[in-house]
């Protein structure tokens, strides 16, 4: 019964509002079984009826939605070199507040600033806060709720979740930031109705997440889709570079010659400045290589571009779609993330909501 309640709540989160008939069809359950679940969740204050939906010729259906104000969740993203990004969401996944704080890339600085950020977001909430999600650029052991690999931040095996839980008084849930962001895109963002897609994002590092048959695919050790160590030809064609280095902001800005940041690179590229054009062309070539490799292996319907890739805009996405060739030929769409740079924080907050769904048994 608990699994059915979880699936029902997940469907309502993703679609916003559904009728009992919609839920019965999606869950392959009888109408009476779904009505029993719904009635129990309404009694708990988890769901509510919102009025009549459109009629298909008969009696208009009664629509259902999660009770958004039942609780809030906090999400914090540890992925930028100097900034922590935080969000506050309600129980329906709606964003209520966004905040940022700088950090010094030490364990002490990151944990202290994350606690300050969480405290500020909690203070901004007019509803109870149910938990604290943290998205990290690294490998997470979910059973131990511990970071077991982290290349760019000093967080490996440091007990970050325990430290944050003690300091905030909230349950803390860790997740990989690419997978957290991809999960938000699946429920609320650019993935829309795609059940098979790949999310790829670049920030301090590069991250990839894979959805297959509507489920996040993590692999045996939770690192499926990691591409940071794949090798690309260097810009001069002499030697090879790891993808994470070749697509890092520092490397690309140096290659461009005089662009101060990614926004400046995009502006210069659109103006046709030679250094920027050369740099973005190199980035396109590398992105085509890694997305082509993943596409040929996994056959997704969609690639969702986040982080720095999203900042390059629709022209970048169209150029990728034009240059990418797969054999046998098939349709593949590129879309820009809808969450932008706060996608991982939103995904971390969503992870807490989904954990809460598991505990609702009528």
């Amino acid at each position: 019964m608990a699994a059915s309640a979880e699936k029902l709540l997940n469907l309502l989160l993703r679609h916003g509002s559904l009728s009992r008939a919609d839920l019965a069809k999606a869950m392959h359950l009888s109408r009476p079984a779904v009505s029993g679940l719904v009635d129990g969740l309404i009694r708990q204050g988890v769901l509510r009826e919102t009025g009549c939906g459109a009629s298909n010729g008969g009696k208009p259906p009664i629509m259902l939605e999660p009770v958004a104000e039942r609780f809030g969740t906090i999400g914090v993203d540890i992925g930028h070199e100097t900034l922590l990004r935080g969000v506050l969401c309600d129980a329906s996944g709606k964003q209520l507040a966004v905040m940022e704080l700088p950090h010094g890339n030490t364990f002490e600085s990151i944990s202290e600033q994350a606690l300050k950020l969480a405290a500020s977001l909690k203070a901004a909430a007019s509803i109870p806060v149910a938990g604290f999600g943290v998205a990290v650029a690294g490998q997470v052991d979910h059973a131990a709720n511990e970071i077991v690999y982290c290349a760019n931040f000093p967080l490996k095996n440091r007990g970050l979740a325990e430290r944050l839980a003690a300091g905030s008084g909230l349950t803390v849930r860790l997740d990989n930031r690419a997978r957290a962001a991809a999960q938000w895109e699946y429920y609320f963002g650019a993935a829309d109705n795609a059940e098979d897609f790949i999310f790829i994002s670049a920030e301090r590092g590069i991250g990839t997440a894979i959805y297959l048959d509507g489920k996040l695919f993590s692999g045996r050790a939770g690192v499926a889709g990691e591409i940071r160590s794949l090798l690309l030809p260097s810009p001069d064609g002499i030697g090879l570079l790891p993808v994470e280095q070749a697509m890092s902001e520092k490397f690309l800005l140096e290659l461009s010659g005089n662009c101060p940041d990614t926004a400046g690179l995009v502006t210069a590229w659109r103006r046709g400045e030679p250094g920027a054009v050369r740099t973005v062309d190199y980035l396109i070539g590398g992105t085509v290589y890694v997305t082509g490799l993943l596409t040929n292996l996994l056959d997704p319907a969609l690639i969702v571009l986040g982080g720095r890739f999203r900042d390059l805009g629709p022209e970048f996405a169209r150029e990728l779609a034009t240059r990418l060739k797969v054999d046998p030929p098939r349709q593949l769409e590129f879309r820009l993330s809808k969450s932008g740079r706060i996608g991982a924080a939103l995904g971390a907050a969503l992870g807490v909501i989904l954990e809460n769904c598991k505990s609702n048994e009528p």
Side-chain angles (χ1 to χ4, degrees):
M1 183 70 79
S4 295
E6 179 187 351
K7 185 175 181 180
L8 185 151
L9 289 167
N10 287 356
L11 284 165
L12 284 168
L13 272 176
R14 190 175 180 202
H15 297 284
S17 181
L18 294 170
S19 69
R20 288 170 173 81
D22 294 329
L23 290 165
K25 182 178 180 181
M27 297 173 69
H28 306 290
L29 293 175
S30 68
R31 285 284 296 274
V34 166
S35 290
L37 280 171
V38 167
D39 292 345
L41 291 168
I42 289 175
R43 285 194 298 271
Q44 288 183 30
V46 177
L47 299 183
R48 61 184 165 210
E49 296 178 339
T50 60
C52 294
S55 172
N56 290 323
K59 184 179 178 181
I62 302 297
M63 306 305 289
L64 303 156
E65 70 176 15
V67 177
E69 65 274 15
R70 190 165 62 97
F71 62 81
T73 63
I74 290 168
V76 170
D77 172 26
I78 305 172
H80 189 277
E81 289 178 313
T82 60
L83 282 177
L84 297 180
R85 298 187 178 106
V87 298
L88 172 70
C89 293
D90 65 22
S92 72
K94 180 182 178 183
Q95 175 186 316
L96 302 177
V98 180
M99 298 180 185
E100 293 181 345
L101 281 179
H103 71 81
N105 203 9
T106 65
F107 178 77
E108 291 73 20
S109 175
I110 289 171
S111 56
E112 287 173 10
Q113 293 299 85
L115 285 169
K116 288 180 182 178
L117 193 55
S120 296
L121 289 163
K122 187 177 181 182
S126 59
I127 52 180
V129 174
F132 180 2
V134 181
V136 298
Q139 181 185 355
V140 173
D141 179 341
H142 287 107
N145 205 26
E146 180 61 279
I147 301 162
V148 295
Y149 177 80
C150 195
N152 298 313
F153 301 93
L155 302 175
K156 177 182 175 181
N157 294 326
R158 297 296 300 272
L160 179 66
E162 185 177 356
R163 171 79 176 270
L164 297 181
S168 67
L170 297 170
T171 300
V172 174
R173 178 183 184 276
L174 301 178
D175 205 354
N176 170 268
R177 67 187 305 272
R179 289 166 180 76
Q183 189 160 252
W184 190 92
E185 296 294 339
Y186 177 73
Y187 275 83
F188 305 117
D192 197 14
N193 291 316
E195 298 296 303
D196 300 275
F197 73 95
I198 294 168
F199 175 84
I200 180 170
S201 177
E203 186 89 50
R204 174 66 178 85
I206 188 163
T208 306
I210 299 163
Y211 259 85
L212 297 176
D213 295 326
K215 295 180 180 179
L216 192 60
F217 178 69
S218 296
R220 178 181 59 84
V223 293
E226 288 292 344
I227 59 171
R228 61 188 303 270
S229 61
L230 290 179
L231 298 177
L232 294 176
S234 62
D236 59 13
I238 303 172
L240 299 170
L241 295 174
V243 165
E244 187 160 84
Q245 179 184 345
M247 294 188 178
S248 70
E249 184 174 50
K250 180 181 179 182
F251 182 83
L252 294 171
L253 295 179
E254 289 175 354
L255 183 61
S256 73
N258 60 357
C259 294
D261 52 28
T262 296
L265 175 63
V266 173
T267 300
W269 173 52
R270 289 172 178 164
R271 286 201 300 253
E273 295 182 13
V277 170
R278 179 179 64 250
T279 299
V280 174
D281 188 68
Y282 177 71
L283 179 59
I284 289 170
T287 309
V288 165
Y289 169 72
V290 295
T291 54
L293 179 63
L294 291 168
T295 297
N296 279 306
L297 287 171
L298 300 169
D299 192 25
L302 173 69
I303 306 287
V304 177
L305 302 169
R308 193 176 313 116
F309 297 116
R310 180 185 184 273
D311 294 345
L312 288 156
E315 304 98 323
F316 181 75
R318 285 195 293 269
E319 193 64 29
L320 291 177
T322 299
R323 293 198 199 182
L324 180 62
K325 308 296 181 187
V326 291
D327 188 25
R330 52 204 183 271
Q331 186 175 5
L332 178 68
E333 185 179 1
F334 285 84
R335 294 181 194 165
L336 302 179
S337 157
K338 287 189 178 179
S339 59
R341 292 296 181 96
I342 62 167
L346 287 167
L350 173 61
V352 177
I353 297 171
L354 295 174
E355 282 294 314
N356 193 269
C357 289
K358 294 179 182 179
S359 65
N360 287 287
E361 181 175 1

